[in-house]
Amino acid sequence: MCEDRAMSVFRHPERHRVAVLVRHGLLPIELGIPHRLMGIAVDADGAPCYEVLTCSATPGALRTDADFTVNVPLGPEALAEADTVIVPASHEQDEPWTSGTLTPPLAGALARIRPDARIASICTGSYVLAAAGLLDGRRATTHWTSCERFQRLFPRVRVDPDVLYVAEGNVLTSAGVASGVDLCLHMIREDFGSAVANSAARRTVVPPHRDGGQAQFIERPVPEPRVSSTGRARAWALEHLDRPLTLRQLAERESMSVRTFTRRFREEAGISPQQWLTRQRVERARHLLETSELGVDRVAAEAGFGSAAALRMHLQAVLGVSPSAYRRTFRSTAGAAQPPR
């Protein structure tokens, strides 16, 4: 971190500082994801949670995969002060992509990241993290079309091609472009709780949560013309999570047989109806634990788990913590004067 805070590139050191590290061939949409989602994340008092800056190993005009350039005035000095560093993909076949190595400027820039900082990649930005050795021995993901090449270049990384994002401690990787949205919402949720993340998602008109373990490549994500989807059943289920819901009830919402509904649901969502219901119930429970005074028994009932024991089991399986521990953590986070470091 810079010794002279007066010379800091960040104007609001009390906020969580995010540096987006870009290079030639950047995808403008990926650059916009953290700026948009984290840039509009605010706490209960309306105060911004993050300060997001863009930097490059070599400042100046950078080529994009579109017909314009992006001027990046900040250099690697921003990385030295960042609490979170995000590395988007590059459309060009640069050193990390072709040889699995880093150019000296990029290696020097990454060396300035604080040891306690969180670092994340969007799409094939994971090549940069892997080339720096940050993914050795870790599970990671990248765009599904690049997974085989990624594994050949970086055999010490445990590549998972079937997920949207992977969080391994303070190192996170995500799949294709849209999964960068899921990754950023995940980080917002971990930093400031689901209420802040859900608010940012609503303002951006995107789903507030897609679990990282959801399949990143679904054969038929959009229903064929004149073929009914399962969207109405999912919407109805979200309004009735506190009830015991059966496959037959969900299938009837779409006038399908259970067999057809189950097959169609998996084609559209990438997971089974039961897996999807469990994930939605976990998210409902997390929200209630963070934002309400309801007891654990009532939270379990409202989320549709039926009993506190079932809620504890599912929360432990997904998050590794008990409901009371989760509530203590995020109540403390939500009420803290400063964001987590």
Side-chain angles (χ1 to χ4, degrees):
M1 185 177 293
C2 294
E3 295 181 1
D4 185 358
R5 295 298 301 176
M7 299 299 292
S8 170
V9 296
F10 287 92
R11 297 180 180 180
H12 305 281
E14 73 282 357
R15 301 176 189 171
H16 188 109
R17 302 178 295 267
V18 179
V20 185
L21 176 61
V22 295
R23 58 200 200 278
H24 283 297
L26 72 93
L27 283 65
I29 188 173
E30 292 190 8
L31 173 59
I33 289 170
H35 278 278
R36 177 59 178 168
L37 289 170
M38 293 174 156
I40 65 173
V42 295
D43 63 21
D45 297 323
C49 296
Y50 297 92
E51 183 177 7
V52 187
L53 300 179
T54 304
C55 66
S56 176
T58 305
L62 295 185
R63 297 183 296 276
T64 72
D65 73 335
D67 62 344
F68 56 85
T69 60
V70 172
N71 184 49
V72 181
L74 293 179
E77 66 276 6
L79 300 174
E81 299 181 71
D83 302 304
T84 293
V85 175
I86 299 176
V87 183
S90 167
H91 186 68
E92 297 185 6
Q93 293 189 3
D94 54 8
E95 285 296 302
W97 172 267
T98 56
S99 65
T101 60
L102 300 171
T103 62
L106 186 54
L110 293 172
R112 302 189 64 168
I113 299 174
R114 296 190 345 240
D116 63 334
R118 178 173 59 191
I119 183 165
S121 63
I122 300 176
C123 196
T124 55
S126 55
Y127 278 69
V128 174
L129 274 59
L134 295 171
L135 300 179
D136 287 353
R138 298 179 187 264
R139 189 168 69 97
T141 194
T142 190
H143 192 284
W144 65 273
T145 61
S146 301
C147 284
E148 289 187 10
R149 177 184 182 83
F150 187 83
Q151 188 67 87
R152 288 197 303 269
L153 276 176
F154 309 108
R156 299 182 64 182
V157 182
R158 294 183 288 118
V159 182
D160 189 340
D162 298 320
V163 295
L164 294 176
Y165 60 85
V166 174
E168 288 268 301
N170 67 337
V171 181
L172 303 91
T173 53
S174 64
V177 177
S179 64
V181 173
D182 302 298
L183 180 67
C184 285
L185 287 173
H186 168 78
M187 290 190 285
I188 295 171
R189 188 165 55 249
E190 292 300 304
D191 290 341
F192 298 100
S194 63
V196 174
N198 290 347
S199 175
R202 283 194 298 271
R203 293 180 63 187
T204 318
V205 199
V206 296
H209 178 69
R210 290 197 300 170
D211 189 273
Q214 183 170 325
Q216 63 165 290
F217 177 63
I218 303 168
E219 287 289 348
R220 194 171 67 189
V222 179
E224 295 175 358
R226 296 183 298 279
V227 174
S228 299
S229 78
T230 59
R232 288 178 300 178
R234 290 198 297 273
W236 179 80
L238 289 175
E239 295 177 356
H240 300 88
L241 282 179
D242 58 325
R243 304 181 186 179
L245 300 177
T246 66
L247 268 176
R248 183 170 299 280
Q249 287 176 307
L250 295 175
E252 287 174 350
R253 306 302 299 184
E254 303 292 355
S255 300
M256 297 179 188
S257 68
V258 169
R259 182 177 180 180
T260 299
F261 176 82
T262 301
R263 174 174 53 81
R264 196 75 49 74
F265 192 102
R266 187 178 286 277
E267 289 173 348
E268 293 176 11
I271 54 178
S272 71
Q274 192 57 52
Q275 289 172 317
W276 181 85
L277 274 174
T278 298
R279 291 178 180 179
Q280 300 309 314
R281 285 176 165 145
V282 168
E283 287 307 303
R284 174 71 59 83
R286 291 173 69 167
H287 177 73
L288 292 172
L289 288 169
E290 293 174 25
T291 61
S292 77
E293 300 291 342
L294 297 177
V296 173
D297 287 327
R298 181 67 183 280
V299 169
E302 292 288 328
F305 285 118
S307 69
L311 171 60
R312 291 188 188 96
M313 179 185 71
H314 286 288
L315 213 62
Q316 187 71 41
V318 174
L319 303 174
V321 297
S322 67
S324 57
Y326 183 85
R327 171 169 272 167
R328 284 195 303 271
T329 298
F330 281 98
R331 282 292 178 85
S332 175
T333 297
Q338 293 189 3
R341 294 287 189 245

